[in-house]
Amino acid sequence: MGGLEYTAGGRGSVWRISHLSDPSKITKFGLFLRKTKLDELPQLWNVLKGDMSIVGPRPGLFNQKELRNERKIHGVFDVRPGITGLAQTSSIDMSTPKLLAETDAKMIKKLGVLSYLKFIVMTIIGKGQGDSAKR
């Protein structure tokens, strides 16, 4: 699949995550940054440079081959990547590559000025749950 699997805490439970981080290693400060979305500030620099858009499909990780393949099939790479979008405000993360690519494609087809602004507002007010790399 597109995410990573690892055994957590020696308990034998396998967690599927969408990031290269072990959720048990995320500090309280890191959780605060994620909850307040301050961890996204570096992405704003990429928006200012023109490499990203505020709204668009989130960039994937290098190890997410299934997600890349699904996005290629659905034409997601035809647009600039973004910080937020339909998948993020719908709590769809990168651990479900097919659903994520389909959702990104749906957003791209219907994206207009009003929906662009709607996704920004929804993100600011905290709609969606972010990624699955949580403690």
Side-chain angles (χ1 to χ4, degrees):
M1 293 300 240
L4 297 174
E5 291 184 356
Y6 69 95
T7 303
R11 296 188 184 101
S13 60
V14 175
W15 292 24
R16 193 163 153 71
I17 63 171
S18 59
H19 278 48
L20 296 175
S21 59
D22 176 342
S24 67
K25 304 286 187 202
I26 299 173
T27 65
K28 287 182 182 182
F29 182 66
L31 289 172
F32 168 78
L33 290 176
R34 285 189 175 186
K35 185 174 182 173
T36 59
K37 306 214 184 327
L38 290 172
D39 64 326
E40 299 295 342
L41 286 176
Q43 301 295 339
L44 288 177
W45 177 250
N46 291 324
V47 171
L48 293 173
K49 288 185 349 183
D51 295 337
M52 289 181 75
S53 176
I54 292 174
V55 175
R58 291 284 297 189
L61 297 172
F62 68 90
N63 65 327
Q64 295 174 313
K65 184 177 180 182
E66 185 180 354
L67 177 59
R68 280 195 312 273
N69 291 340
E70 289 293 333
R71 284 181 163 174
K72 187 175 182 180
I73 290 167
H74 292 285
V76 174
F77 293 124
D78 294 342
V79 300
R80 192 176 298 160
I83 296 174
T84 191
L86 178 59
Q88 289 70 40
T89 59
S90 301
S91 299
I92 299 168
D93 66 23
M94 293 184 178
S95 66
T96 54
K98 185 173 174 50
L99 177 61
L100 178 58
E102 290 168 351
T103 303
D104 287 341
K106 178 181 172 183
M107 175 191 66
I108 291 165
K109 279 185 182 176
K110 297 182 178 185
L111 193 60
V113 174
L114 289 178
S115 58
Y116 192 97
L117 295 173
K118 180 180 99 174
F119 290 127
I120 293 171
V121 170
M122 290 172 73
T123 301
I124 291 170
I125 63 172
K127 179 77 173 137
Q129 299 299 312
D131 61 55
S132 65
K134 298 175 186 165
R135 274 201 322 178

